[in-house]
């Protein structure tokens, strides 16, 4: 009887370890390694769920802010990739401080980020957040012993019941970013 209990305990520990490893792997797959932010895949999944909710609740809207750091290549080329990485981590931290739950920030690739506002009452509400992002990210930061004054460009897409796929919202926000630049 004691041996059975010991074996049962061992099996429970193995199951817990396996679940822990699976959770770690899932996190690694859905998050950016440098910043720890959710990645494009995670954002797409979350946006799909938000759009499905908007289909069920006409009149509700979301907003996707698509942004990139202006002249980031110059920083990377002149100060080096480690300095660029430090800048990306600081941008991620500042972006995260600009939003509230359940909104989210994701790193899409390179110097591109997105902010998903899951419930906006008006276009103006999204513009207020975008202005907060511009103000916050525009504050000077120290990178590689240099004081930088970063700037970003932002495109905004307002999602409503007319959107079916996350990629449509991402496309429209990316086009708005292109126009903003």
């Amino acid at each position: 009887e004691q041996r059975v209990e010991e074996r049962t305990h061992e099996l429970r520990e193995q199951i817990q370890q396996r679940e822990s490893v699976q959770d770690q792997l899932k996190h690694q797959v859905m998050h950016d390694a440098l910043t720890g932010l959710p990645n494009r895949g995670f954002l797409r999944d979350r946006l799909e769920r938000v759009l499905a909710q908007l289909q069920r609740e006409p009149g509700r809207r979301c907003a996707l802010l698509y942004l990139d750091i202006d002249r980031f290549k110059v920083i990377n080329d002149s100060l080096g990739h480690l300095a660029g990485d430090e800048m990306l981590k600081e941008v991620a931290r500042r972006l995260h401080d600009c939003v509230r739950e359940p909104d989210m920030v994701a790193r899409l690739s390179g110097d591109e980020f997105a902010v998903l506002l899951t419930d906006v009452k008006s276009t103006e509400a999204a513009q207020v957040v975008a202005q907060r992002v511009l103000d916050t990210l525009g504050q000077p930061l120290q990178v590689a012993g240099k004081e930088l004054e970063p700037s970003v460009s932002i495109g905004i897409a307002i999602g409503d019941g007319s959107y079916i796929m996350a990629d449509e919202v991402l496309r429209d926000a990316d086009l708005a970013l292109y126009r903003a630049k």
Side-chain angles (χ1 to χ4, degrees):
E1 187 176 306
Q2 182 178 357
R3 184 138 170 85
V4 169
E5 286 179 25
E6 288 174 359
R7 183 65 180 141
T8 301
H9 181 72
E10 288 173 11
L11 289 172
R12 282 191 183 126
E13 283 183 352
Q14 288 175 353
I15 290 170
Q16 287 175 341
Q17 288 174 345
R18 185 176 300 131
E19 288 172 349
S20 176
V21 168
Q22 288 173 336
D23 289 344
Q24 288 173 341
L25 288 173
K26 184 176 180 182
H27 185 271
Q28 288 173 352
V29 166
M30 298 302 279
H31 289 77
D32 174 60
L34 178 67
T35 64
L37 291 175
N39 62 18
R40 181 182 293 271
F42 189 109
L43 175 67
R44 286 180 74 242
D45 289 349
R46 178 76 176 278
L47 188 51
E48 292 284 346
R49 288 195 307 272
V50 169
L51 291 176
Q53 190 175 14
L54 297 180
Q55 292 291 317
R56 294 187 303 272
E57 298 177 38
R60 279 195 62 203
R61 295 186 285 185
C62 70
L64 184 67
L65 282 60
Y66 200 111
L67 58 113
D68 75 0
I69 302 168
D70 298 330
R71 299 173 306 281
F72 181 72
K73 185 175 179 346
V74 173
I75 293 164
N76 246 356
D77 291 346
S78 62
L79 299 178
H81 291 285
L82 289 177
D85 287 352
E86 286 306 309
M87 183 176 194
L88 291 171
K89 287 190 271 189
E90 179 61 17
V91 165
R93 188 191 66 72
R94 290 182 183 191
L95 279 172
H96 191 266
D97 289 347
C98 287
V99 300
R100 58 176 168 58
E101 289 292 328
D103 300 335
M104 70 171 281
V105 176
R107 180 174 178 212
L108 303 179
S109 66
D111 66 332
E112 292 182 339
F113 294 84
V115 177
L116 174 60
L117 306 174
T118 59
D119 187 17
V120 293
K121 304 296 183 216
S122 65
T123 302
E124 291 77 23
Q127 291 171 336
V128 166
V129 174
Q131 188 60 56
R132 186 176 13 185
V133 166
L134 289 170
D135 294 343
T136 300
L137 293 181
Q139 295 297 313
L141 63 99
Q142 293 288 325
V143 174
K146 307 273 187 210
E147 183 174 278
L148 303 177
E149 293 185 22
S151 66
V152 296
S153 297
I154 302 176
I156 304 172
I158 303 296
D160 58 22
S162 67
Y163 283 100
I164 306 297
M165 306 286 292
D167 287 338
E168 296 169 330
V169 182
L170 283 161
R171 176 202 64 218
D172 288 353
D174 189 26
L175 286 171
L177 170 64
Y178 179 75
R179 285 190 208 123
K181 285 183 149 288

